[in-house]
Amino acid sequence: AQTVTQSQPEMSVQEAETVTLSCTYDTSESDYYLFWYKQPPSRQMILVIRQEAYKQQNATENRFSVNFQKAAKSFSLKISDSQLGDAAMYFCAYRSYNTGTASKLTFGTGTRLQVTL
Amino acid sequence: DSGVTQTPKHLITATGQRVTLRCSPRSGDLSVYWYQQSLDQGLQFLIQYYNGEERAKGNILERFSAQQFPDLHSELNLSSLELGDSALYFCASSSSNSEQFFGPGTRLTVL
């Protein structure tokens, strides 16, 4: 079974600065997807970014980018120019690729990000 | 707005009772997933339906059951409720082989 580990329960960043959230995972599969989801105080789960394991290029979405190291099974999220609205719980998630129509997400325990003025 | 709707938003009930949570997926999505988010267990996958059929099962208790109807909406039934069932229950939907979009969740409180 796949596992996802987020070793930073809490992180803090000053507004306009850059912060990196860590995620490692364990799998024996070669093809899979990795995601970062954001959960603000409203509790809504919002997809931030996704990465396909077969792609060498790191995914980028505006101020959000990932550092995907397949051999090390590491998938960190970098938030640049942090904004107050980035304060939330961030979850790393794994999904198998070759499962046909069965594609559950396995989540890490989350990292709570605080953004200070 | 993800396009996934869940009702009710909040539910307060007593131990031993039975409740039904409802989910309507995004238009065109055939897959519906149910997840439970609790303080001690984190976010856990419960069950998935695809076009009306059960496709995958996770850590779902025998007291819990789900179904997906011909119009693709899904219901999660929780029975013989215990205090430990208090949690946020999410529904998510996806089209084949794509990311999952989450509903706003139903917060269940068992007293």
Side-chain angles (χ1 to χ4, degrees):
Chain A
Q2 295 81 27
T3 59
V4 177
T5 302
Q6 294 180 251
S7 58
Q8 306 155 314
E10 289 190 14
M11 294 281 286
S12 184
V13 63
Q14 279 194 319
E15 203 177 14
E17 296 297 307
T18 296
V19 64
T20 298
L21 309 184
S22 301
C23 172
T24 58
Y25 57 94
D26 189 26
T27 183
S28 58
E29 299 174 332
S30 57
D31 290 324
Y32 46 86
Y33 294 98
L34 294 165
F35 304 89
W36 280 97
Y37 279 87
K38 170 185 176 180
Q39 188 178 40
S42 67
R43 296 294 192 173
Q44 176 76 48
M45 293 288 288
I46 302 165
L47 178 65
V48 175
I49 199 164
R50 81 180 235 174
Q51 174 79 44
E52 290 88 343
Y54 62 85
K55 289 186 178 178
Q56 292 189 348
Q57 188 170 7
N58 290 322
T60 299
E61 287 288 343
N62 301 313
R63 298 183 295 108
F64 299 87
S65 61
V66 298
N67 184 3
F68 173 50
Q69 301 288 330
K70 191 173 184 179
K73 295 181 182 174
S74 170
F75 182 61
S76 60
L77 174 70
K78 186 171 85 170
I79 306 174
S80 304
D81 186 26
S82 296
Q83 300 175 1
L84 293 177
D86 295 333
M89 195 77 163
Y90 286 82
F91 291 96
C92 179
Y94 174 102
R95 202 203 94 181
S96 297
Y97 183 80
N98 289 322
T99 54
T101 55
S103 50
K104 67 170 186 176
L105 291 171
T106 300
F107 287 92
T109 51
T111 296
R112 184 171 302 282
L113 178 66
Q114 277 190 320
V115 181
T116 59
L117 293 171
Chain B
D1 185 359
S2 66
V4 179
T5 60
Q6 287 187 251
T7 56
K9 284 188 178 178
H10 302 278
L11 203 46
I12 301 174
T13 188
T15 54
Q17 294 299 303
R18 172 190 169 96
V19 297
T20 298
L21 313 184
R22 182 187 169 104
C23 167
S24 292
R26 292 187 321 157
S27 176
D29 285 356
L30 299 180
S31 279
V32 169
Y33 310 78
W34 287 97
Y35 293 88
Q36 178 195 58
Q37 185 177 29
S38 61
L39 283 175
D40 54 345
Q41 298 287 331
L43 262 162
Q44 290 212 32
F45 167 72
L46 295 178
I47 197 165
Q48 180 204 353
Y49 277 81
Y50 178 81
N51 202 21
E53 293 186 4
E54 182 185 304
R55 195 50 58 104
K57 224 169 185 176
N59 298 323
I60 187 166
L61 299 171
E62 283 192 13
R63 300 183 285 108
F64 295 2
S65 65
Q67 54 184 327
Q68 186 179 27
F69 295 87
D71 67 352
L72 300 177
H73 91 271
S74 177
E75 292 181 357
L76 179 67
N77 300 295
L78 317 176
S79 62
S80 303
L81 285 167
E82 301 175 0
L83 296 177
D85 297 327
S86 295
L88 188 55
Y89 290 85
F90 283 108
C91 167
S93 76
S94 72
S95 54
S96 57
N97 218 32
S98 73
E99 54 262 38
Q100 295 178 23
F101 294 89
F102 283 73
T106 292
R107 179 168 292 285
L108 174 66
T109 303
V110 183
L111 300 175

